[in-house]
Amino acid sequence: MSAPKFVYVFGGPRTEGDASMKNLLGGKGANLAEMCSLGIPVPPGFTLTTEVCTAFYQQGGKFPEGLTHQIEDGLRHIEAIMGVHFGDPQNPLLVSVRSGARASMPGMMDTVLNLGLNDITVEGLITSGGDKRFAYDSYRRFVQMYGDVVMEVRAQKKTDTDPFELIMDGLKEEKHVHADLDLTWEDLKELVKRFKGLVKERTGQDFPNDPKEQLIGAISAVFRSWMNDRAIAYRRMNGIPDEWGTAVNVQAMVYGNMGTDCATGVGFSRDAATGENRKNGEFLINAQGEDVVAGIRTPQQITKADSLAWAKAQGVSEADRSAKFPSMEERMPEAFGQLMAIYDRLEKHYRDMQDLEFTIQRGKLWMLQTRNGKRTGFAASRIAVDMVEEGLIDEKTAILRVEPDQINQLLRPVFDSAAKAKAMGAGDHLATGLPAGPGAGTGKIVFHASDAEEQVNAGKGPVILCRIETSPEDIRGMHVADGILTARGGMTSHAAVVARQMGKVCVAGCGAVDIDYEKGTMKVGGRILKEGDWISLDGFLGQVIAGRIPTRPSEVLQVLFEGKAPGTDSVYSYYHKLMTWADKYRTLGIRTNADQPDQAATARAFGAEGIGLCRTEHMFFGGDRIQAVREMILADTLVERERALAKLLPMQRDDFAGIFRAMDGFPVTIRTLDPPLHEFLPHKEEEIRDLAKTMGVPFERLADKVELLKEANPMLGHRGCRLGIAYPEITAMQARAIFEAAVIVKKEGIKVIPEIMIPLVGHVNELKAQKTLVMATAEKVFTEMGLRVDYLLGTMIELPRAALTADEIAKEAEFFSFGTNDLTQTCMGLSRDDSGRFLPLYVEQKILPADPFQTLDTAGVGQLITIACEKGRKSRPDIKLGICGEHGGDPASIAFCHKAGLKYVSCSPPRVPIARLAAARAALEK
Amino acid sequence: MSAPKFVYVFGGPRTEGDASMKNLLGGKGANLAEMCSLGIPVPPGFTLTTEVCTAFYQQGGKFPEGLTHQIEDGLRHIEAIMGVHFGDPQNPLLVSVRSGARASMPGMMDTVLNLGLNDITVEGLITSGGDKRFAYDSYRRFVQMYGDVVMEVRAQKKTDTDPFELIMDGLKEEKHVHADLDLTWEDLKELVKRFKGLVKERTGQDFPNDPKEQLIGAISAVFRSWMNDRAIAYRRMNGIPDEWGTAVNVQAMVYGNMGTDCATGVGFSRDAATGENRKNGEFLINAQGEDVVAGIRTPQQITKADSLAWAKAQGVSEADRSAKFPSMEERMPEAFGQLMAIYDRLEKHYRDMQDLEFTIQRGKLWMLQTRNGKRTGFAASRIAVDMVEEGLIDEKTAILRVEPDQINQLLRPVFDSAAKAKAMGAGDHLATGLPAGPGAGTGKIVFHASDAEEQVNAGKGPVILCRIETSPEDIRGMHVADGILTARGGMTSHAAVVARQMGKVCVAGCGAVDIDYEKGTMKVGGRILKEGDWISLDGFLGQVIAGRIPTRPSEVLQVLFEGKAPGTDSVYSYYHKLMTWADKYRTLGIRTNADQPDQAATARAFGAEGIGLCRTEHMFFGGDRIQAVREMILADTLVERERALAKLLPMQRDDFAGIFRAMDGFPVTIRTLDPPLHEFLPHKEEEIRDLAKTMGVPFERLADKVELLKEANPMLGHRGCRLGIAYPEITAMQARAIFEAAVIVKKEGIKVIPEIMIPLVGHVNELKAQKTLVMATAEKVFTEMGLRVDYLLGTMIELPRAALTADEIAKEAEFFSFGTNDLTQTCMGLSRDDSGRFLPLYVEQKILPADPFQTLDTAGVGQLITIACEKGRKSRPDIKLGICGEHGGDPASIAFCHKAGLKYVSCSPPRVPIARLAAARAALEK
């Protein structure tokens, strides 16, 4: 039996993969193959599939059988095209070894370049046309990289300097030179020797000379890097499964560092921060690719326009700029022209914004990578809408291009323009950097990612993380920060890329900022700011402003709620178009959870089509109400209790009337009293004493009542319909308030659609008992007031027993609304209030795939929902099914609800737009 | 379309029903028909089916169409046989109207006798041969009974005297007579007039004269009495569904009160208290049937032997006895002979102990009822065993004749014989009554049922309820009392019947007791005892003893645990035979929940075949252990925690070794730590302060830890395997203790079968993580100690999610044990600690059929078990399935477990015999 196909070649006359094979070849590998097929210049190579990675881990770090042979075939493919041979002393083939997963994970895994060099082939490199300095510089880079990645010779602590860099610094000191470029080829040769010595010293092993051994080592190391801490953390944050694995690409080296006619760069076909349709990117003359991303040298801009803007941000004069940092457009106009044409070609081919990597070797342009570019929510919305208007994609595709949560960015606060103008006027505008992440960020300065984490976790946020530049080690800190400011690096620097992806506000490459980590200070705009000082970042414009600038609702909200006129190309215009399309394609209804008229109005502006959950108890807390509620609880007799309830009746009625008016024509689901009564009483002795005084009751009586109502497990206690059954007069009062309000509002000419929902039903008899009461009250009110109102009566499904006996319950219920919060708590036996002690550990240790209170546990809780839907429909085919737990605003959970055939989801007002988009995507992804 | 058959006639040449038709005709109706078919003399009549009752309630108290016509046919059937006519002014037919449900509910529903009398027919009764006094006495009884039952003229409060009795007492005063018998026929005629006046005054309606109207009214009233409070309470206590309904029997009247050659009586074919094979019963000369049960007149004994014993109990001289209270054997030898023959005939026919009612009218014996007699647990066991030995029934039938809970009576404490002898010697033996309910009862005297309830509910029990006689209103009080003592009434009095049925200790008809309800005192044996004084009852011997006599384990336990030699016909001998047969026919294994070697030994003596649940945390509380446990909880570092755990290791190991030794050859399921850690710490400030001092740690540190561990819902909190995952070192220590103990004990030559059970698993990954740890520990221990022990590793299924994903979990688990306590809590969202506030109301209002913590909720929780069994078997066909929740000792739940195909149930040691019997019954009832 022959081994499965592990290796796919690309380039020259033979390309085995294409863009559709991402799962097998990874994004990079699939796209390299695709580019080859399009005739775009790509160095030839081959891809080891993700299945090899899986096998590698299953076999405890060993290669599957037959792989080595296939690798050799791959090498022969490259050799044939390039006309050089791996390990050839005269004209050696050198290769790069790069990771490439299904989803892009920039900078998270390892890479080895210049592989194939040893003391013999380095001479061959010179013989075949490279100069000595280039050859030995390549060699020392290779040994350094291989030593780090494969042989794990690294700084022992994160704060230590890289040991190879230390050796290099030492040699520079010996030679009394400052720059790397000042080292001669002999110096570099010496460095290679010293580097190998370090490797031997640290590992006890000789640095491998055999190119094939080097290759096997590098491939293994790249596979191993799939499971490094950074990569795991990144996947967790981005919901990428560990099981996917990475592919590995082995590709002929091309050099951007063979001289000044060489360069390397990255670029985007549109603006990844704002979505504007303008090609952009950065490059470095005479450099290797990693130099651009690593942020070690200051990159130059590809277009002249960007170059001018960059110079302004960095405070570089035009003379300096054109001399030292000219754009590619100016410096290499021919390659620039080719590159622009490839940008166009690839964007049209992929019908999406492209993120490119290229190298120019002695004037010849080589493409090393293309992929769909990551982008902010702003950019995602704008690009999707623009591309529809350009005829590149259709509406459905546009919807699938925007992640629901990205809509959040469009709704985030912006700076109050008056306050900002005042600060700018007062001289608080310290500097302008690159607008790498749009939005308004304000917070206290921290200089280290770990400090950011610590302060935010301790509730001492918000913070702005200020760094000279960022590295992959900083991602947790970036995640918790409200904004990121870097002094160095361009629009494709680590900080800029990660911030965009996280949707963080970011000002990058702000050269005017001078950070001193040791002192914990930052000089900028003539001031010295220290850790803890407030600072504000305008990520739309790249401005750095001292102090804390107050914010206002986003432009979208200003248009929706304040009547602001939306401009063309405004954030609102993209929001509005996307939402219109989403509504066109979604089949799920979107309702909101609201219990005040103003919330209801907000939700309608966001597009809610009704209220899925109106919690009546929230109404109990305002003003005089809590007083009446407490009187009710303290009542010892039915008469006393009814007297207190009579006080609550008009208040509840007014609330309901207000909500019905706000929801004219849309259904309003009102849940009867749910929480245990002790939630309405104080629990600390002093508070009880105060309240007793206020209420004019003896302290002991109140204290006794509090004690009596105490519960061991209130979540499973006397609450929900259990209250309404023990105290039918409470349900009767609430039903009366609802029906009286409904009749009053209907008489005003408003369309009222009340849906009364009984909570925490576990047995159909509970529902029957409450239903009888509600229906009798309705009839009484309709007779008294001389007008009938149609209404539905249903129940929450929030206990496993309810789901399992949904066939019985559906005989009495006209609708089910899944209360997924409580259903998760009971199905999993997990108290939301207490699980903080172990749930993070569970997610960390992969015992659970995600926090089940954020994303619905489909295997368990979802199974109950499916069972309940099936059984419910069996008893009542037209039963209305919805969800009102907090999962109603979670895109993954919404996708589940769509599949389960629910009629609607209900979420908090600000999640409504996200839910609309998620529902449309669920319908389209079907 | 003709109406369904609602009426079945019996007697004379045509009998439509038989004993197999109990569901339709009720027990009484079916047996009357059966007796007719056997040729036993039964007054003719007809039965209205239970379906009529159902229809009656469905139609809101109306008769189904066609019923009246069928009733008339029934009347014609009686008339034809008796040669008299209903309503005939010359020779009227009179009938009785009696309830008769599927299950006997003695005294709970209503009866009307002498129906058909009015001012005209009463004269016909005289004409046709009755004397005037008899005729008018029958008439006034009829009006009184009908007025009460049908027209609802009764005492307004329970404590008030019956208004008819008040009128009668008034008349007696007017006439200056004392006894009812002293009233003349004219007086009785006057009474009829006054009674009718009372009815008119109270109801505004005339008393009905038309016999057919009377009959319809009486039938309706009997149906209505199915839903009276007493009947509902009785059904609830005895698990009889409301849906069954009652049948109604209309039967020609025969008279035990036409003169001194008439009598009426009841009897048992064996002793209903002890099960001894001796016919017995009571009768009254010249009386109607209800007089015997009502306890108004002192009944005479049927056999001479009983009569002599009774006289002794009542302190009646032989002269008085033979003159005033002779036995039937002496007084009516011919009828006695016939009756004894019928006893034999019926017992052989039904192959069970019979409870009979009869009337002798002018020397002719009529049987009015036969049914299987209710009996105590002692009697049930003995009769079942005796009948097998007599060849009447087989072993399987014997098993089905004893309710599992009746076994409890055999295991209840008996008086310490030395202490009792001492009390008897000290003159504390106050009197001897009838031994109506076997057992030893001791408690504080109460004179009213409501006081009994109040005191027991307030935790002030135990109480002995002392009454002149009891009535159906007293059943709740009897239910909570530890014993019942009555001054009046025989072995078939209300007190005796109900006590036997409830399995209560009872001394009945103790004439030496003179109770003064008003003073709250009781004169007996020359002493005056007052409410609250301690008293003891020996229900085996009928002895009433002053003071509180200490108890000892039951005879069964003395034989099992103290090596007492069992006598023949001893309680133990019946227990033993029944258990042997139960073990022969059951297929379910019975294990026990035990966590100490002595408990394990007890359970084995009771027949447990292994431990189904050993809770390791119970071991944490003893002696020094709690100290080490607290050190472990307080530990801030892994090292500290491991140090504390190291102290616990040898203690746990010793416990396990002890249990393994006690369970030689049987499996022992050990659950790893389950409760949240805060259960091991004190919670009150003072206790925390004390402990801090003892442990030598600062108060604040301990208080902080207590605060930190506090949980909103501990039931759903950081417990079960969640602890073992957060602190793997705890699981590792416990696993080590188990395996070290297993190896040590195996080396002693004992067969060890450990089963390690991981609690509160919700996701298979939790089990995987703990399993890996346990298995690694096992390997380490086996290597260290040089011996392997086979073991199983499984999990509790106690969360809905576990049941729903049992297919996944079964891949890792070798067994499932259903933790039905927690499964009930989570499935129903019901905290056992808190549900006391509303569960009683739920059962009362029939929202739930029973307390789900006592009897498994099969529709919900049971559904999860069924799902889990199916899914579990799908993944692992040989998976071992058991249950270890408290339902493991509940017969109804055991029947469910049998049906679900579980391999075993596990319950507390004293429930083991009950579970054995219940399992056998489940297997036989299949």
Side-chain angles (χ1 to χ4, degrees), chain A residues 490-652:
Chain A
M491 289 295 279
T492 55
S493 65
H494 179 266
V497 169
V498 173
R500 280 198 298 271
Q501 202 175 316
M502 290 180 175
K504 292 278 167 194
V505 175
C506 179
V507 173
C510 184
V513 167
D514 180 8
I515 295 173
D516 186 328
Y517 289 137
E518 280 192 13
K519 289 195 187 144
T521 58
M522 169 166 106
K523 254 192 273 184
V524 53
R527 297 203 213 172
I528 294 177
L529 301 179
K530 55 186 193 310
E531 201 174 272
D533 287 347
W534 282 87
I535 195 174
S536 299
L537 302 180
D538 186 327
F540 294 106
L541 300 170
Q543 292 162 334
V544 182
I545 307 157
R548 182 182 197 172
I549 300 177
T551 55
R552 298 232 30 226
S554 75
E555 192 206 319
V556 171
L557 277 74
Q558 290 183 31
V559 173
L560 289 176
F561 301 117
E562 301 176 16
K564 183 182 162 172
T568 42
D569 292 352
S570 66
V571 168
Y572 175 80
S573 72
Y574 297 113
Y575 165 85
H576 180 68
K577 278 178 192 155
L578 268 179
M579 285 297 125
T580 307
W581 296 336
D583 290 348
K584 193 162 152 189
Y585 295 105
R586 71 185 160 87
T587 56
L588 264 180
I590 310 296
R591 296 198 192 178
T592 194
N593 300 348
D595 41 50
Q596 298 294 343
D598 58 337
Q599 289 172 357
T602 303
R604 272 203 60 182
F606 275 136
E609 300 156 319
I611 289 181
L613 175 61
C614 173
R615 299 178 175 92
T616 51
E617 60 271 16
H618 283 189
M619 303 174 177
F620 278 15
F621 281 101
D624 307 339
R625 294 149 189 230
I626 187 69
Q627 170 75 6
V629 171
R630 285 167 173 170
E631 282 171 23
M632 172 191 85
I633 296 170
L634 278 181
D636 285 326
T637 65
L638 178 62
V639 175
E640 278 185 76
R641 199 155 42 241
E642 283 181 335
R643 198 180 304 137
L645 285 166
K647 289 187 199 168
L648 281 169
L649 175 68
M651 305 178 194
Q652 285 238 301

Side-chain angles (χ1 to χ4, degrees), chain B residues 727-807:
Chain B
Y727 308 109
E729 55 279 8
I730 298 179
T731 305
M733 180 281 284
Q734 293 201 301
R736 175 167 283 275
I738 294 167
F739 292 120
E740 287 185 359
V743 171
I744 289 166
V745 173
K746 186 175 177 182
K747 284 180 178 172
E748 294 166 8
I750 284 168
K751 191 167 177 206
V752 202
I753 313 175
E755 301 179 344
I756 295 168
M757 180 158 73
I758 308 298
L760 211 72
V761 164
H763 193 290
V764 64
N765 287 346
E766 295 176 304
L767 179 58
K768 267 189 203 167
Q770 292 282 284
K771 184 179 173 181
T772 307
L773 189 59
V774 170
M775 289 177 69
T777 308
E779 289 311 312
K780 255 188 258 168
V781 172
F782 297 159
T783 306
E784 285 166 17
M785 301 182 74
L787 186 68
R788 303 190 64 83
V789 174
D790 288 336
Y791 66 96
L792 294 183
L793 199 143
T795 183
M796 300 272 281
I797 299 286
E798 51 188 335
L799 295 177
R801 196 186 189 285
L804 294 165
T805 61
D807 42 353

Side-chain angles (χ1 to χ4, degrees), chain A residues 737-777:
Chain A
I738 293 167
F739 292 120
E740 287 184 0
V743 172
I744 289 167
V745 172
K746 187 176 177 181
K747 284 181 177 171
E748 294 168 7
I750 284 167
K751 191 165 177 207
V752 202
I753 312 174
E755 300 180 344
I756 295 170
M757 179 157 75
I758 308 298
L760 210 73
V761 164
H763 194 291
V764 64
N765 286 346
E766 296 177 305
L767 180 58
K768 267 190 201 165
Q770 291 282 286
K771 184 180 173 180
T772 307
L773 189 62
V774 170
M775 287 177 72
T777 308

Side-chain angles (χ1 to χ4, degrees), chain B residues 197-257:
Chain B
L198 173 73
V199 167
K200 173 82 184 176
E201 182 196 320
R202 284 274 190 99
T203 67
Q205 290 182 300
D206 289 322
F207 191 90
N209 282 321
D210 175 9
K212 286 198 183 148
E213 189 188 340
Q214 291 173 358
L215 182 59
I216 297 302
I219 292 171
S220 299
V222 175
F223 281 141
R224 280 200 303 273
S225 71
W226 174 252
M227 281 295 177
N228 72 32
D229 293 346
R230 287 191 323 245
I232 291 173
Y234 183 93
R235 286 200 294 276
R236 193 138 307 143
M237 220 175 288
N238 292 279
I240 301 172
D242 289 347
E243 295 73 43
W244 281 4
T246 184
V248 171
N249 298 289
V250 177
Q251 198 175 11
M253 282 298 300
V254 288
Y255 290 96
N257 59 342

Side-chain angles (χ1 to χ4, degrees), chain A residues 18 27 78 124 136 150 165 267 271 419 421-422 474 502 557 603 633 648 661 698 760 765 772 811 919:
Chain A
D18 63 50
I78 305 176
Y136 276 99
V150 184
E165 293 293 330
D271 188 318
K422 199 175 146 201
D474 297 325
M502 290 180 175
L557 277 74
I633 296 170
L648 281 169
R661 287 187 194 107
L760 210 73
N765 286 346
T772 307
K811 287 180 194 156

